[in-house]
């Protein structure tokens, strides 16, 4: 019922309680109860006496039929779920993985908004309603040794999808960011493990991809971000959101199937070719120190190669961040 109600409200226009009730085949009182449920889910709604209810603006909701028409790989998953609101798509699939008790399963879930979206190192992931993409994938692996370079492979899949969608200037920042023009963050990846990591395990791969990034969103983070609409010079992603979603998941699914068999090594050269910081002096921030050097890409297992004063050093995908060093010594 909530999904049907949101479909009616997606045009951003006012709809009276009576009109909504007639369209849904329920009473006005029942409509009001459904609207209360949406508000309890933090879905933004405006109401004006005598006019009715509306969303702040027109949106394109994720829709199974539209996704199928755009080529979404439904057959690759045991479950595909679309939610209006979740605390976190990663948390949702981590909970499910716990209930599976080690049984392998391939699942994906989307949320139109997240109330507690998470990035790496405990950072908040800003998740406004129906403007960006928030999804997580549950995928089985044979053990932790098979996961080296996974976040890089997923990022490369997203880069391929965006290039196919005619987005120019897409690059990657080690270990898990998708950038535009080498400086604006378009998306990020969060990977979490569940199960016995030395044996068969399930991995939750979370992705946030900015489609329509606003000034008020930027004010809530400390990184320079951008949305796909802004990168393409468009005012909105309405009309292309399901298409972008289908293309991104198509490429990620193909990548995961290949990565499961071959690992990261065959992807090294391609990843290095779109390394946004290739040849630049960077500062690698570690938990208790930092290392400065020239970024030389990654090796066969996805470790970052830094040319330092002590020689070439390699770093794995631990809790680190990467900042480009400008000519004046400042980092960004």
């Amino acid at each position: 019922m909530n999904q049907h109600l949101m479909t009616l409200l997606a045009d951003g226009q006012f709809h009276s309680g009576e009109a909504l009730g007639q369209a849904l085949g329920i009473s006005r009182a029942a409509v009001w109860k459904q609207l209360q449920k949406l508000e309890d889910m933090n879905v933004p709604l405006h109401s004006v006496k005598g006019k009715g209810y509306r969303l702040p603006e027109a949106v394109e909701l994720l829709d199974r039929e539209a996704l199928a028409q755009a080529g979404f790989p439904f057959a690759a998953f045991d479950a595909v779920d679309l939610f209006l609101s979740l605390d976190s798509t990663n948390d949702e699939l981590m909970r499910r993985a716990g209930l599976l008790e080690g049984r392998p399963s391939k699942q994906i879930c989307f949320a139109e908004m997240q109330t507690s979206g998470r990035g790496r190192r405990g950072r908040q992931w800003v998740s406004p309603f129906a403007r960006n993409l928030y999804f997580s994938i549950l995928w089985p692996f044979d053990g932790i040794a098979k996961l080296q370079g996974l976040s890089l492979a997923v990022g490369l899949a997203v880069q391929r999808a965006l290039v196919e969608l005619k987005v120019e200037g897409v690059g990657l920042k080690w270990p898990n960011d998708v950038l535009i023009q080498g400086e604006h963050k378009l998306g990020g990846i969060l990977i979490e493990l569940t199960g016995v990591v030395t044996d068969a395990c399930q991995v939750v791969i979370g992705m946030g991809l900015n489609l329509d990034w606003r000034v008020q969103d930027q004010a809530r983070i400390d990184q320079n971000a951008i949305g796909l609409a802004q990168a393409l010079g468009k005012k909105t992603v309405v009309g292309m959101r399901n298409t972008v979603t289908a293309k991104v998941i198509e490429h990620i699914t193909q990548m995961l199937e290949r990565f499961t068999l071959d690992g990261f090594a065959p992807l090294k050269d391609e990843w290095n070719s779109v390394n946004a910081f290739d040849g630049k002096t960077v500062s690698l921030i570690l938990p208790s120190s930092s290392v400065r050097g020239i970024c030389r890409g990654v090796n066969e297992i996805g470790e970052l190669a830094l040319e330092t004063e002590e020689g070439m050093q390699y770093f794995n995908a631990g809790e680190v961040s990467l900042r480009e060093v400008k000519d004046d010594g400042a980092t960004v």
Side-chain angles (χ1 to χ4, degrees):
M1 183 63 71
N2 283 339
Q3 191 70 35
H4 292 158
L5 180 56
M6 287 304 305
T7 300
L8 294 172
L9 295 170
D11 60 7
Q13 302 300 311
F14 278 107
H15 297 265
S16 69
E18 182 179 2
L20 291 171
Q22 289 177 349
L24 296 171
I26 60 177
S27 68
R28 291 182 63 179
V31 168
W32 185 83
K33 289 182 179 180
Q34 293 300 321
L35 290 168
Q36 285 296 114
K37 290 181 180 179
L38 292 178
E39 290 185 334
D40 290 343
M41 295 165 63
N42 294 312
V43 174
L45 287 174
H46 290 173
S47 62
V48 175
K49 188 174 182 179
K51 287 188 175 182
Y53 310 88
R54 71 175 179 90
L55 293 174
E57 60 187 333
V59 297
E60 179 187 355
L61 299 173
L62 296 181
D63 175 80
R64 288 179 180 274
E65 183 176 347
L67 288 171
Q69 291 176 351
F72 188 96
F74 282 95
F77 298 97
D78 301 312
V80 177
D81 293 296
L82 312 178
F83 294 93
L84 287 177
S85 179
L86 283 175
D87 52 354
S88 156
T89 58
N90 259 41
D91 288 348
E92 171 66 18
L93 289 192
M94 289 291 285
R95 289 189 289 264
R96 293 190 195 181
L99 296 174
L100 288 169
E101 298 180 343
R103 299 187 303 274
S105 181
K106 296 178 180 179
Q107 302 187 26
I108 184 169
C109 76
F110 297 85
E112 296 290 2
M113 66 180 295
Q114 298 179 114
T115 56
S116 301
R118 294 185 289 110
R120 291 178 68 241
R121 306 181 73 180
R123 295 188 181 96
Q124 177 193 20
W125 192 269
V126 178
S127 308
F129 181 73
R131 287 201 273 114
N132 304 315
L133 289 183
Y134 323 111
F135 64 87
S136 295
I137 296 172
L138 182 67
W139 201 268
F141 284 90
D142 290 338
I144 193 170
K146 299 290 184 71
L147 304 180
Q148 292 178 314
L150 177 58
S151 65
L152 278 68
V154 174
L156 186 58
V158 176
Q159 189 269 344
R160 289 177 179 177
L162 294 175
V163 168
E164 191 170 330
L165 291 165
K166 311 301 182 185
V167 183
E168 298 181 355
V170 183
L172 300 175
K173 173 186 168 185
W174 185 89
N176 68 336
D177 286 348
V178 181
L179 306 181
I180 291 284
Q181 304 301 337
E183 56 180 336
H184 301 287
K185 184 168 179 175
L186 188 66
I189 299 155
L190 175 65
I191 292 179
E192 297 182 291
L193 308 182
T194 179
V196 182
V197 297
T198 56
D199 197 357
C201 62
Q202 302 239 68
V203 177
V204 175
I205 305 162
M207 179 83 202
L209 188 65
N210 300 330
L211 300 186
D212 187 358
W213 191 250
R214 308 284 178 83
V215 173
Q216 63 266 32
D217 304 324
Q218 185 61 50
R220 299 171 62 186
I221 65 171
D222 61 358
Q223 291 178 284
N224 192 10
I226 195 172
L228 188 60
Q230 289 70 38
L232 294 173
K234 297 180 179 295
K235 294 183 178 180
T236 178
V237 289
V238 173
M240 60 183 288
R241 192 161 174 260
N242 281 279
T243 298
V244 171
T245 301
K247 184 60 64 178
V248 166
I249 302 305
E250 175 190 352
H251 277 271
I252 291 179
T253 302
Q254 291 172 354
M255 178 64 77
L256 289 175
E257 291 172 346
R258 177 181 175 184
F259 185 90
T260 300
L261 297 174
D262 303 327
F264 179 74
L267 305 169
K268 182 196 75 169
D269 291 342
E270 185 181 356
W271 195 97
N272 284 331
S273 72
V274 293
N275 173 18
F277 287 167
D278 182 44
K280 296 181 179 181
T281 300
V282 300
S283 179
L284 184 65
I285 311 302
L286 302 168
S288 58
S289 64
S290 64
V291 180
R292 181 173 295 193
I294 300 173
C295 181
R296 298 302 186 192
V298 298
N299 61 15
E300 288 79 4
I301 59 174
E303 293 175 327
L304 178 69
L306 281 188
E307 184 181 341
T308 71
E309 294 180 351
E310 290 75 30
M312 194 70 71
Q313 297 186 45
Y314 296 90
F315 300 86
N316 61 32
E319 292 297 337
V320 296
S321 61
L322 187 65
R323 296 290 185 267
E324 180 186 349
V325 177
K326 296 298 187 180
D327 292 339
D328 61 2
T331 59
V332 298

